Amino acid sequence: MRAEARSLAAGDPRLLAEVAEAEAEAERGVLGSGPSSIRQTVPAGATWALPISRSSHTAATIAVRRIGAAPVALTIVDATGRQLCTDNSGSALLTCRIAAGGGPLVARVANRGADATDVLLLMN
């Protein structure tokens, strides 16, 4: 769609700047090159893992909003499995901030409760 927008801009510098801004926004540390959030049901006692691509020049903030009563924990690891951050505070909103740097990450959300719960994972 952005390529089509560039074509339709027909050389208009203002429109081309808007297209460039949209492209830059798409390159920020989002989940792959698509959405910046995803909702998932995590069964009782299970762990959900989500691979994440990130921008090498921007710090990443990854948050999980618990939707339900079951306690969850958030852990972020790098491609080698090294733990970079964990939040197991039991809060309804768990947050990890990861310094700028290249390479993929994996977000792991563990449901420590006796019932399934939904979570919403967000990333800048």
Side-chain angles (χ1 to χ4, degrees):
M1 283 181 31
R2 290 185 298 266
E4 184 179 1
R6 271 193 308 278
S7 168
L8 293 172
D12 182 319
R14 186 180 55 82
L15 292 175
L16 289 172
E18 288 183 29
V19 172
E21 185 178 323
E23 288 174 329
E25 184 70 23
E27 295 298 319
R28 292 183 65 215
V30 297
L31 306 174
S33 60
S36 58
S37 67
I38 188 168
R39 185 174 175 155
Q40 178 71 29
T41 300
V42 183
T47 298
W48 171 55
L50 179 70
I52 297 174
S53 299
R54 64 177 171 153
S55 171
S56 62
H57 60 277
T58 305
T61 299
I62 302 159
V64 168
R65 171 79 169 109
R66 182 186 74 223
I67 305 167
V72 296
L74 170 64
T75 302
I76 308 298
V77 298
D78 66 12
T80 66
R82 182 175 57 106
Q83 182 175 307
L84 302 176
C85 178
T86 189
D87 184 344
N88 56 10
S89 64
S91 172
L93 181 64
L94 307 172
T95 306
C96 279
R97 290 178 180 81
I98 308 298
L105 303 173
V106 176
R108 295 182 182 151
V109 181
N111 180 347
R112 297 195 170 150
D115 297 311
T117 194
D118 281 4
V119 295
L120 181 63
L121 186 137
L122 306 127
M123 183 173 168
N124 67 330

